[in-house]
Amino acid sequence: MRKLRTLDLSECILLAKIPESIHTLGSLKFLYLKGCDLLSRIPHLGGSTVSLPYFVVRAGDDDESSSNLVLLQSTDPVELQISELENVKSPGEADRIKLVEKHSLKDLKLEWTRGVERFVYDKMLLKNLVPPSTLKKLEICGYNGVSFPAWLVGQLPNLVSLVLRDMANVEEWNTSYSSDEEHVIQILEIHGCPMLRMKRSLLKAKSWVISHSDNVLSSLDECTVSHASVSSSTSPITIVLSVKYCKGPHRWRLLQHFTGLSSLSIHNCGDLTGSPEITHHLSSLEALCLEDEHMEELPKWLGELASLQSLEIRWSNGVTELNETMRQLTMLQSLNLSYCHNLSLPHWLGELTSLKELVVCSNDVLRSLPESIQQLTDLQKIKISNCPKLEHVVNESLEGMMKRTHNQETVCVMPASLKELTIHICHGIKSLPEGIHQLTNLKNLEIDECYYLYQWCKLEESKKLAHIQNKSFVW
């Protein structure tokens, strides 16, 4: 294939390696690798070959005055990821590729390798890598400058997603130069920027993700914030907030800038039990996810979230019980308790009267679901996974087992509204509750890696389980 000019391997999803000999194809001009997610590395290509959308900057020989970045001058891709920008030898190379004129470009990622020497200061280079106004997605990784050039956000009116990642030295971000004060982006993510402080006006985004960036949180009080509304609308701008691995002082004061949140995730941010100020700004919260391997008890303010519809508690091995205050969560529709190995379920679970979905995953102490679950007349889905001590799906007390219908049949202790039941890797359970055939709404039953229950289901499949449309029994 010595005359080959274009090689398109896009969407070759199983492609893991390209032979190094590809650099011998002297006529090859373009190599397309979009969707080749398993490709571990891009081999060194010939001097005039352009790899898209993944372009690796090569510095070339010491006597060369420029890198291969200039090869992008003749391209106009929709998506472009430029890595190893530390190999660019002069700011003029960025000018020559005329990134700002590539109006087809919608998705751009700029990446420096951390901890290696540069030919050009990062800020000088980034200043000349001005994207076109058509850009919708931008990600910057490994940038080593102290501040950002003015074009970031200010000259990108169509931007919907911005990700800043692994920037150990960035100290400030002044977004007051934005030319469009009404511009609201969909997603803003800040990861691994421990020195970064927001300055003056705060960028408007519907969804914020902040991780390993303590100063971002503490600097919000220094910003002019207008997150309550935009233009004449009275709807909140930011409705989704995720905070991960941020343990700086006064970190929850940021919530005063995000009134109207509908979704909040807090991951490994230290003790939450002594933070009652959290609830002052969460009157509209509908979804909450808490995750902390060192958390020993759930915060009492959980019961004050009157609008909460979805609650997820994950990776909290120190938590042994749900708070009594949670009995007040009568609007709760989904409860997910995953990887909380020592958490017991309360007898009052049935008081969560709006509950439609219950998920319990990787629990080392659970022996059964409480009998009060029968009171959950809206419950449609139960999923139980990896609960080695589970002996019964639902705890059937002597009183419960003696309940009979007018036909002298045992009443099923599970709610009649149930539509889906999934049980994975629960070796101790030997049968489903008596009266399971009465659950006429049950349409989906999945049993996986439960040896004794698998045997029972196969035996009763044509009798007690005949009414279930979709059944999957795997051992």
Side-chain angles (χ1 to χ4, degrees):
M1 297 189 293
R2 296 190 180 278
K3 295 183 179 181
L4 187 68
R5 292 181 58 85
T6 300
L7 177 57
D8 191 345
L9 300 173
S10 299
E11 309 303 333
C12 292
I13 58 175
L14 298 181
L15 181 66
K17 185 178 180 180
I18 296 176
E20 294 292 335
S21 60
I22 194 171
H23 76 274
T24 63
L25 296 175
S27 61
L28 187 64
K29 299 298 181 184
F30 297 100
L31 173 64
Y32 294 98
L33 300 171
K34 181 177 175 60
C36 301
D37 296 332
L38 291 184
L39 193 63
S40 57
R41 62 180 294 272
I42 300 173
H44 194 287
L45 302 173
S48 60
T49 304
V50 180
S51 172
L52 296 172
Y54 313 113
F55 185 87
V56 181
V57 181
R58 308 292 186 190
D61 298 329
D62 292 339
D63 58 347
E64 293 184 22
S65 60
S66 64
S67 70
N68 65 341
L69 183 69
V70 295
L71 296 176
L72 292 173
Q73 183 174 349
S74 61
T75 66
D76 190 10
V78 175
E79 178 183 350
L80 180 60
Q81 298 186 22
I82 310 177
S83 61
E84 301 187 25
L85 280 164
E86 67 275 4
N87 290 324
V88 175
K89 290 192 170 183
S90 71
E93 295 178 43
D95 282 334
R96 288 178 61 187
I97 67 173
K98 299 185 184 303
L99 201 61
V100 70
E101 297 180 7
K102 300 184 186 301
H103 297 294
S104 296
L105 190 62
K106 301 294 188 294
D107 189 340
L108 175 64
K109 180 178 180 180
L110 303 173
E111 185 172 11
W112 284 261
T113 305
R114 290 188 60 184
V116 300
E117 294 185 2
R118 272 87 155 128
F119 290 101
V120 182
Y121 287 118
D122 288 6
K123 186 173 182 179
M124 292 178 61
L125 181 56
L126 187 60
K127 184 178 180 180
N128 291 340
L129 287 171
V130 183
S133 60
T134 54
L135 196 72
K136 292 187 175 182
K137 296 182 179 180
L138 175 62
E139 181 172 353
I140 305 176
C141 303
Y143 176 71
N144 206 30
V146 175
S147 60
F148 295 114
W151 63 255
L152 187 63
V153 179
Q155 298 179 30
L156 302 175
N158 293 298
L159 196 68
V160 297
S161 174
L162 175 61
V163 179
L164 306 176
R165 193 186 304 276
D166 297 331
M167 304 179 183
N169 297 321
V170 175
E171 295 181 359
E172 70 173 34
W173 183 16
N174 184 352
T175 61
S176 62
Y177 42 66
S178 176
S179 60
D180 184 2
E181 295 185 356
E182 300 297 308
H183 183 205
V184 179
I185 68 174
Q186 296 293 318
I187 301 172
L188 172 62
E189 297 187 23
I190 302 175
H191 304 277
C193 302
M195 305 295 291
L196 177 60
R197 301 185 70 85
M198 312 297 286
K199 191 174 182 181
R200 298 188 182 178
S201 62
L202 194 63
L203 184 68
K204 300 181 181 70
K206 290 188 175 181
S207 173
W208 279 64
V209 179
I210 307 171
S211 69
H212 296 93
S213 304
D214 289 3
N215 279 358
V216 170
L217 302 188
S218 60
S219 67
L220 294 185
D221 284 345
E222 305 167 12
C223 297
T224 301
V225 187
S226 57
H227 270 249
S229 62
V230 60
S231 296
S232 59
S233 172
T234 58
S235 301
I237 294 177
T238 301
I239 57 176
V240 178
L241 174 63
S242 177
V243 186
K244 306 177 182 180
Y245 300 95
C246 296
K247 298 184 179 181
H250 313 299
R251 57 194 180 282
W252 302 123
R253 285 164 59 179
L254 87 159
L255 291 175
Q256 65 183 308
H257 303 301
F258 297 105
T259 56
L261 282 178
S262 63
S263 177
L264 173 63
S265 297
I266 303 175
H267 301 258
N268 293 287
C269 291
D271 185 21
L272 297 173
T273 58
S275 305
E277 67 270 23
I278 288 180
T279 58
H280 297 167
H281 309 287
L282 300 180
S283 59
S284 60
L285 195 68
E286 297 178 356
L288 174 64
C289 177
L290 298 179
E291 178 179 322
D292 197 321
E293 56 188 312
H294 301 297
M295 183 164 53
E296 297 184 353
E297 62 176 312
L298 296 174
K300 291 181 172 54
W301 47 258
L302 275 179
E304 301 176 25
L305 305 178
S307 299
L308 199 64
Q309 298 180 19
S310 174
L311 174 60
E312 185 173 359
I313 303 172
R314 299 169 51 88
W315 295 105
S316 301
N317 293 334
V319 177
T320 59
E321 60 182 4
L322 300 181
N323 290 346
E324 285 280 335
T325 60
M326 293 175 60
R327 303 170 82 153
Q328 305 171 50
L329 300 179
T330 54
M331 297 290 289
L332 195 67
Q333 297 182 20
S334 176
L335 178 60
N336 188 323
L337 307 171
S338 296
Y339 307 99
C340 301
H341 295 283
N342 300 306
L343 180 63
S344 299
L345 294 185
H347 64 88
W348 49 259
L349 191 68
E351 296 182 26
L352 304 178
T353 51
S354 296
L355 203 64
K356 295 182 179 180
E357 178 181 19
L358 175 63
V359 177
V360 182
C361 177
S362 295
N363 187 305
D364 293 339
V365 298
L366 185 68
R367 295 186 179 277
S368 66
L369 301 181
E371 187 180 357
S372 64
I373 198 173
Q374 190 181 29
Q375 302 171 24
L376 301 176
T377 56
D378 290 332
L379 190 63
Q380 299 179 9
K381 181 178 180 179
I382 296 177
K383 181 176 181 180
I384 308 172
S385 177
N386 195 20
C387 299
K389 291 190 177 180
L390 190 71
E391 297 176 353
H392 305 281
V393 178
V394 179
N395 179 29
E396 298 182 82
S397 64
L398 179 61
E399 178 184 357
M401 289 190 292
M402 294 182 65
K403 290 180 180 178
R404 302 280 180 174
T405 66
H406 64 281
N407 294 324
Q408 296 302 303
E409 288 186 324
T410 303
V411 175
C412 184
V413 293
M414 300 178 73
S417 56
L418 195 65
K419 294 182 179 181
E420 298 182 37
L421 176 60
T422 302
I423 304 176
H424 288 174
I425 320 176
C426 298
H427 302 296
I429 187 169
K430 295 180 173 59
S431 65
L432 295 177
E434 288 292 329
I436 190 72
H437 61 282
Q438 299 169 14
L439 302 184
T440 55
N441 290 312
L442 188 59
K443 305 300 181 185
N444 298 282
L445 175 62
E446 183 177 335
I447 308 298
D448 187 9
E449 292 192 52
C450 307
Y451 177 74
Y452 295 109
L453 184 56
Y454 168 82
Q455 297 289 349
W456 184 90
C457 288
K458 297 300 289 186
L459 182 64
E460 302 291 345
E461 186 172 5
S462 60
K463 299 177 183 178
K464 296 182 179 181
L465 308 179
H467 65 290
I468 303 175
Q469 295 178 357
N470 303 308
K471 297 184 286 287
S472 174
F473 308 139
V474 179
W475 168 245

